[in-house]
Amino acid sequence: MKFTEDLHSSFLCEQSTGTAEEALLVKPEREDSESPLPWLGVFPGSLGLTHESHKKDVEQVYLRCSEGSIEWMYPTGALIVNLRPNTSPASFKHLTVCIKPFKDSAGANIYLEKTGELKLLVRDGDRSPRKVYCFGYDQGGLFVEATPQQDISRKITGFQYELMNKGIASDLHTVSAPCRPCSDTEVLLAVCTSDFVIRGSIQDVTNEEEEQESIIHVGVNKLYRQKSKVFQLTGESGNWRGQIKTLLECGVRPGDGDFLFTGRMHFGEARLGCAPRFKDFQRMYKEAKDKGLNPCEIGPD
């Protein structure tokens, strides 16, 4: 593969742009340190990416951001994806890598590669809805190999990727976790560590049978914290609204009363964590505060 003339990327980690004619489009979205990324590329605008040319149609890319996406148009040969986050190498053993193929991704198999051994992660043509594949950072890198095609002009292989702490990844992908009621201790810790914390009510629930997920439509009464703009002001009324996803098997239904919703962002979507009724949260918060056991301060009223 020859990407020298076709590779154009913008790597500002917060946002990036590309054109439909690009052979390879990589979109990192967040870096792991506050310091700016070093200049690693050899192409205009390729901050955060090193590109190396190899024989036998094998190309390498090095990604420095903790999340982003790769879109490989007209795949031929193979692509080695090296994730090199801006963190201390000593912390690599605590990291989990998750990838989520695009819905229409086609034209290549995706393998986990370590010391020359390949383990198939995603088979070309696998249409498992919303499937996410996770592995330990120290288990290897990604090897994307194009499959033989008579016409590659309509093939695009792509996926999102995220690097996260192993504990967070385990919580997100433990089937029973979102459905099991949280203990008082878990709720109070979730308030301190979650990507979003809101007081709100369930306006509606949309069940997606094919994807085995439920979308909770939330009306927000108080926004304590959010890392991404999932909950936003809507219309002239000035009400805050947003959506949170959880497993279909949890059986979430619309109901009266306020809840304290907490959770994590995962591939740009809000995923439900602990969600006690708000009156129960007020009780457990007061009890912990009276005993001096609150892990952090938050206005519960």
Side-chain angles (χ1 to χ4, degrees):
M1 298 180 296
K2 296 182 180 179
F3 292 126
T4 303
E5 296 180 356
D6 297 317
L7 184 62
H8 307 281
S9 306
S10 176
F11 279 82
L12 297 181
C13 280
E14 293 298 328
Q15 60 183 11
S16 60
T17 60
T19 65
E21 291 77 24
E22 293 173 354
L24 177 65
L25 176 62
V26 193
K27 295 182 179 179
E29 296 172 0
R30 188 182 73 235
E31 52 185 309
D32 294 283
S33 66
E34 296 180 356
S35 59
L37 289 176
W39 179 267
L40 297 175
V42 295
F43 301 98
S46 60
L47 183 60
L49 169 69
T50 297
H51 176 278
E52 293 182 0
S53 180
H54 290 265
K55 297 179 180 179
K56 297 183 180 180
D57 291 328
V58 177
E59 297 286 330
Q60 292 209 40
V61 291
Y62 292 82
L63 305 180
R64 303 283 292 181
C65 297
S66 62
E67 64 182 66
S69 63
I70 290 179
E71 187 172 342
W72 185 14
M73 303 179 71
Y74 327 130
T76 60
L79 184 70
I80 298 174
V81 180
N82 300 278
L83 300 176
R84 296 292 185 267
N86 290 338
T87 58
S88 168
S91 67
F92 288 173
K93 62 182 178 181
H94 302 297
L95 294 178
T96 290
V97 180
C98 291
I99 67 169
K100 179 181 176 182
F102 293 156
K103 182 178 181 180
D104 299 321
S105 178
N109 294 322
I110 303 176
Y111 298 88
L112 180 62
E113 185 276 332
K114 186 172 184 180
T115 62
E117 295 186 6
L118 297 178
K119 177 183 178 181
L120 183 64
L121 283 180
V122 187
R123 188 181 301 279
D124 184 16
D126 185 355
R127 293 293 184 268
S128 300
R130 315 297 288 179
K131 184 68 174 179
V132 173
Y133 305 82
C134 297
F135 53 90
Y137 183 89
D138 54 1
Q139 288 183 257
L142 293 172
F143 184 85
V144 188
E145 184 179 34
T147 54
Q149 305 285 339
Q150 290 185 345
D151 179 11
I152 66 170
S153 64
R154 298 179 182 274
K155 303 297 182 182
I156 301 176
T157 297
F159 59 87
Q160 295 173 272
Y161 71 89
E162 285 187 353
L163 282 81
M164 64 189 74
N165 180 276
K166 284 185 177 179
I168 295 174
S170 177
D171 291 343
L172 284 167
H173 296 283
T174 299
V175 173
S176 62
C179 303
R180 176 181 60 82
C182 294
S183 66
D184 289 5
T185 300
E186 288 172 328
V187 169
L188 294 173
L189 187 59
V191 168
C192 304
T193 61
S194 293
D195 292 338
F196 63 88
V197 181
I198 65 167
R199 174 183 179 179
S201 58
I202 301 176
Q203 304 296 308
D204 195 10
V205 177
T206 303
N207 293 324
E208 298 183 336
E209 296 287 344
E210 181 181 359
E211 299 179 355
Q212 289 295 294
E213 290 186 330
S214 293
I215 302 175
I216 308 170
H217 303 268
V218 178
V220 180
N221 295 325
K222 185 167 184 178
L223 178 65
Y224 294 101
R225 180 193 313 123
Q226 67 170 336
K227 288 188 176 181
S228 300
K229 296 180 180 179
V230 175
F231 306 98
Q232 298 187 20
L233 288 170
T234 59
E236 297 180 357
S237 63
N239 294 326
W240 287 74
R241 297 185 182 277
Q243 297 179 352
I244 304 173
K245 289 194 173 185
T246 191
L247 298 179
L248 180 63
E249 68 179 61
C250 294
V252 178
R253 292 179 174 82
D256 297 330
D258 281 2
F259 295 81
L260 184 79
F261 295 99
T262 70
R264 300 273 182 190
M265 296 302 301
H266 194 40
F267 292 115
E269 299 174 341
R271 307 294 307 190
L272 184 64
C274 295
R277 287 195 173 273
F278 192 74
K279 61 180 181 181
D280 293 331
F281 165 66
Q282 287 179 304
R283 171 192 55 76
M284 61 183 75
Y285 184 88
K286 183 179 185 304
E287 290 177 356
K289 186 175 182 179
D290 291 344
K291 297 176 182 178
L293 299 177
N294 270 355
C296 67
E297 293 289 330
I298 186 171
D301 299 327

